[in-house]
Amino acid sequence: MNIQENISLKSFNTFGIDKKAKFFVEVVSENEVREAITFANKKNVPLFILGGGSNILLTKDLEALVIKIEIIGIKVLEENEDQVFVEVGAGENWHSFVIQCIKNDWAGAENLSLIPGTVGASPMQNIGAYGVEIKDIFKSLQAIHRDTLQMKVFNAEECGFGYRESVFKNELKDQYVITKVVFALKKKPEFQIEYGAIKTTLEEMGIKTPSIASISQAVIHIRQSKLPDPKVIGNAGSFFKNPTVPFDFFQKLKNTYPEIPSFSNEQGVKIPAAWLIEQTGWKGKTFDKIGVHKNQPLVLVNYGGGDGYEIQVLSEKIQQSVLQKFGILLHPEVNFL
Ligand SMILES: Cc1cc2nc3c(=O)[nH]c(=O)nc-3n(C[C@H](O)[C@H](O)[C@H](O)COP(=O)(O)OP(=O)(O)OC[C@H]3O[C@@H](n4cnc5c(N)ncnc54)[C@H](O)[C@@H]3O)c2cc1C
């Protein structure tokens, strides 16, 4: 285990923010996780657990030990006629895992193609796209408690999954290091193609009978045409969550803004945050090296050399505008550091 000092995190976050870590280590096993935590305790510095850095905003240098999770491995634990249970190391790249699923004819992850980041971070905010969330294919995870160093297995219920939420962002925040995740994938696919442009994209691709491979290709195509590639323009995907408001509140909004897009759910009415931001005039606004993406206003961007704190200030101004115009407080999806 090689603990380095004063390392730039620029290449370890998709925003491309150039902030430093006091200590930095890559860990490849559960034992190394424990060793790294012990080191941080001895040095009396806090910990930060890093995956692919695609859902963080670095606003300052981290006076901490950054533990980058590199635990790899994909192993079939058990299978039956309908399902296959696959254990995946937390450091595996999410999209590479999805591709492995497709190659093996394991269904369920295809709609989640091309989401950046690691498998270990996927339960943190119950990643989701195109009508599917990881909770739909999740069986359990293993995590090490940061104080006791004991391993605990969490089932789906214990993870408290919600829309871009889990217990690890709330009650158990900063308490566990996720080391492995077990997925329950299906042998008989149940295609989800109603959401977004999947159906029309499949038609444009000339596909009459969908397969998990063609759905994955359609999702990749849609994502590449809609979202900026972090390798080209620094970003962390959707900066804010889509807010859900009560039905009666929505009805009043609808009277004022009849064109407001919406999706009803059990909790109320979900409104696309991108629409709210666009209506407040922020779409495409650029401020020196940072800004709001010109096509996708939900994505804040670093054009190169931008500062994380300035992106935070910009996000607060957007929140303020949306609150003033619509009475809705947007909550960030990105984790601020
Ligand atoms: C272009 C783009 C598109 C995106 N699209 C989507 C999308 O469609 N849907 C979606 O849900 N998200 C999306 N995201 C957000 C991001 O990809 C996910 O949140 C992803 O799961 C983050 O993984 P990561 O490994 O990069 O996590 P990081 O950014 O490294 O970490 C995120 C949080 O998880 C914690 N963490 C990471 N690994 C562990 C671990 N092993 N144990 C404990 N804590 C850990 C970190 O401490 C941090 O708090 C997108 C991001 C980008 C840049």
Side-chain angles (χ1 to χ4, degrees):
M1 213 175 58
N2 174 23
I3 298 181
Q4 303 174 71
E5 273 187 65
N6 293 321
I7 287 291
S8 167
L9 295 172
K10 188 172 178 204
S11 60
F12 295 107
N13 71 102
T14 59
F15 256 123
I17 304 291
D18 194 4
K19 294 289 178 201
K20 284 199 180 108
K22 172 100 178 110
F23 298 105
F24 179 90
V25 66
E26 294 181 342
V27 294
V28 298
S29 66
E30 281 152 1
N31 273 346
E32 286 196 352
V33 172
R34 293 191 176 94
E35 269 180 59
I37 296 174
T38 308
F39 172 88
N41 289 343
K42 269 194 201 134
K43 292 278 178 187
N44 204 17
V45 288
L47 294 176
F48 178 69
I49 312 303
L50 180 68
S54 64
N55 204 18
I56 58 169
L57 176 65
L58 290 165
T59 62
K60 55 182 186 303
D61 290 335
L62 301 185
E63 291 296 316
L65 169 66
V66 172
I67 302 182
K68 177 148 172 31
I69 305 295
E70 292 286 355
I71 300 170
I72 56 166
I74 300 180
K75 188 166 112 192
V76 173
L77 293 182
E78 197 189 321
E79 54 188 306
N80 57 40
E81 220 177 286
D82 303 317
Q83 278 178 307
V84 51
F85 298 94
V86 184
E87 182 186 79
V88 190
E92 287 284 348
N93 175 272
W94 173 263
H95 180 64
S96 305
F97 167 60
V98 173
I99 296 301
Q100 281 299 312
C101 291
I102 290 162
K103 279 192 185 144
N104 286 291
D105 261 333
W106 302 332
E110 55 280 2
N111 290 45
L112 303 175
S113 296
L114 215 62
I115 297 182
T118 55
V119 165
S122 65
M124 292 296 296
Q125 68 157 8
N126 179 29
I127 58 166
Y130 299 98
V132 174
E133 294 177 324
I134 73 135
K135 73 169 175 42
D136 303 325
I137 52 168
F138 179 91
K139 174 81 169 62
S140 64
L141 64 77
Q142 277 184 26
I144 295 174
H145 193 272
R146 286 165 50 160
D147 292 337
T148 65
L149 303 185
Q150 295 294 309
M151 179 70 79
K152 179 171 160 56
V153 175
F154 289 79
N155 63 26
E157 202 186 327
E158 289 167 313
C159 289
F161 290 129
Y163 165 60
R164 300 296 179 273
E165 286 296 345
S166 76
V167 74
F168 304 105
K169 279 180 82 176
N170 294 290
E171 299 93 300
L172 299 182
K173 189 172 161 57
D174 294 335
Q175 288 195 37
Y176 282 93
V177 181
I178 297 167
T179 56
K180 282 177 186 154
V181 184
V182 178
F183 296 97
L185 297 149
K186 297 182 193 74
K187 290 201 173 162
K188 296 167 193 152
E190 290 161 20
F191 302 127
Q192 302 268 4
I193 59 169
E194 301 303 323
Y195 202 95
I198 299 186
K199 216 176 192 171
T200 46
T201 306
L202 286 169
E203 278 162 21
E204 281 160 22
M205 288 161 63
I207 298 203
K208 293 205 174 72
T209 320
S211 62
I212 56 172
S214 61
I215 292 174
S216 169
Q217 280 156 15
V219 168
I220 291 171
H221 179 81
I222 302 165
R223 293 183 70 99
Q224 284 175 336
S225 65
K226 278 177 66 173
L227 289 169
D229 179 353
K231 289 193 191 99
V232 182
I233 304 175
N235 75 88
S238 303
F239 199 92
F240 298 102
K241 298 199 264 187
N242 293 316
T244 292
V245 299
F247 291 103
D248 49 348
F249 181 89
F250 176 75
Q251 212 39 60
K252 284 184 199 138
L253 274 181
K254 180 110 180 135
N255 293 340
T256 318
Y257 306 99
E259 73 290 4
I260 188 168
S262 62
F263 307 90
S264 292
N265 58 35
E266 298 102 66
Q267 290 83 41
V269 182
K270 194 185 263 188
I271 302 171
W275 185 86
L276 298 168
I277 297 169
E278 185 166 1
Q279 296 304 305
T280 47
W282 288 100
K283 186 176 174 178
K285 285 265 164 35
T286 299
F287 306 92
D288 194 14
K289 294 167 182 159
I290 63 165
V292 182
H293 192 259
K294 62 181 186 335
N295 301 328
Q296 179 42 275
L298 197 47
V299 177
L300 304 192
V301 292
N302 172 17
Y303 291 105
D307 182 69
Y309 178 68
E310 283 172 15
I311 295 177
Q312 178 180 347
V313 171
L314 171 61
S315 77
E316 287 164 359
K317 288 182 182 161
I318 294 171
Q319 273 178 319
Q320 210 46 45
S321 302
V322 170
L323 186 62
Q324 264 167 19
K325 189 169 168 104
F326 297 103
I328 297 173
L329 178 63
L330 293 179
H331 293 284
E333 184 179 312
V334 171
N335 300 284
F336 291 28
L337 292 168

